[in-house]
């Protein structure tokens, strides 16, 4: 696996606890990110979010929370939602770390995505995922600030 890390940052006009709930609550995450979810917000708990609308069937099955420090940081396993498109082994996962910092009446969200493999298929998957994270974080910002998020297929 390569050491390259995708990095994203976005500021949201909201309390950190509200943003934390958006990442760790099934009822919240399905309003801005995935159309289905099963989250056990404890270390070792499941972090399964599904993107059946992307045409690959259920995704992120059996992904787990590797580390959790409420309400500031969560690290979880991640499978590329459109793995068939990139001919990736459905059992391979990467790692996503999300940290939240409250500053000046807003929450700064930092997302780091690591664990990428090598080769053209991984490169294409990484490029797709980079754009997907940008859209997803924009959806989160919209959801938190206006009450209206959008899923990838709606973006």
């Amino acid at each position: 696996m390569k050491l390259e890390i995708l990095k994203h940052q976005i500021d949201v006009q909201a309390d950190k606890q509200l943003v934390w709930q958006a990442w760790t609550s099934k009822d919240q995450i399905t309003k801005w990110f995935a159309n289905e979810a099963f989250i056990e917000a404890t270390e070792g708990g499941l972090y399964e979010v599904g993107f059946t609308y992307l045409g690959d069937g259920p995704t992120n099955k059996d992904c787990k929370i590797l580390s959790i420090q409420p309400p500031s940081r969560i690290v979880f396993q991640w499978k590329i939602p459109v793995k068939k498109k990139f001919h990736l082994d459905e059992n391979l996962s990467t790692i996503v770390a999300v940290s939240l910092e409250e500053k000046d009446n807003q929450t700064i969200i930092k997302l780091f995505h690591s664990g990428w493999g090598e080769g053209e298929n991984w490169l294409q998957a990484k490029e797709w995922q980079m754009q997907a994270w940008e859209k997803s974080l924009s959806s989160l910002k919209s959801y938190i600030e206006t009450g209206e998020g959008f899923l990838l297929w709606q973006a």
Side-chain angles (χ1 to χ4, degrees), residues 28-65:
Q28 298 293 310
I29 205 164
T30 54
K31 292 190 169 94
W32 66 271
F33 190 41
N35 63 320
E36 56 186 30
F38 183 77
I39 300 171
E40 298 171 324
T42 59
E43 193 162 315
L46 291 175
Y47 198 86
E48 298 179 342
V49 293
F51 302 90
T52 54
Y53 56 83
L54 293 174
D56 243 1
T59 54
N60 288 306
K61 188 85 173 130
D62 300 323
C63 285
K64 300 209 184 294
I65 295 174

Side-chain angles (χ1 to χ4, degrees), residues 50-129:
F51 302 90
T52 54
Y53 56 83
L54 293 174
D56 243 1
T59 54
N60 288 306
K61 188 85 173 130
D62 300 323
C63 285
K64 300 209 184 294
I65 295 174
L66 304 174
S67 175
I68 188 167
Q69 297 147 10
S72 299
R73 183 171 165 80
I74 185 169
V75 180
F76 51 89
Q77 294 173 308
W78 186 256
K79 295 177 183 175
I80 306 304
V82 288
K83 57 192 169 282
K84 288 180 186 172
K85 177 178 181 178
F86 304 113
H87 308 288
L88 297 175
D89 182 338
E90 65 183 45
N91 296 312
L92 295 176
S93 63
T94 55
I95 298 172
V96 175
V98 177
S99 67
L100 308 177
E101 178 186 334
E102 207 165 46
K103 184 177 180 183
D104 300 327
N105 297 321
Q106 63 183 359
T107 299
I108 301 163
I109 303 168
K110 294 179 182 177
L111 183 143
F112 304 92
H113 192 159
S114 62
W116 299 97
E118 296 183 15
E120 185 62 29
N121 292 344
W122 276 103
L123 179 61
Q124 290 175 6
K126 184 173 55 177
E127 289 172 2
W128 180 90
Q129 187 66 69

